[in-house]
Amino acid sequence: MSTPGYLTYVWRPVTGGRHAFPIAATKSPPEDTVEAYCGAEAEASELHDRSEVDWVREQTCMDCWRVLAAQP
């Protein structure tokens, strides 16, 4: 159960789309592989230092969107 007022996920434009990741993924060592809510994998280093251009170029992953929308 999540605590109200605390961030539990974060959207990040990684190679292949703008995906939602558990907030814990942002604290993973850069060489680790992290998994988005849809199952897409990315290197943890890709979650940091993204530019506005990255945000514009990548499309939102609708599978991540559906997973998060279905949560209570």
Side-chain angles (χ1 to χ4, degrees), residues 3-47:
T3 305
Y6 290 95
L7 188 62
T8 59
Y9 61 89
V10 61
W11 287 91
R12 288 292 187 262
V14 297
T15 303
R18 187 171 34 247
H19 293 278
F21 293 88
I23 195 67
T26 64
K27 298 173 185 351
S28 297
E31 65 277 0
D32 281 3
T33 299
V34 293
E35 187 173 331
Y37 282 91
C38 69
E41 293 183 341
E43 289 184 19
S45 62
E46 285 193 74
L47 303 184

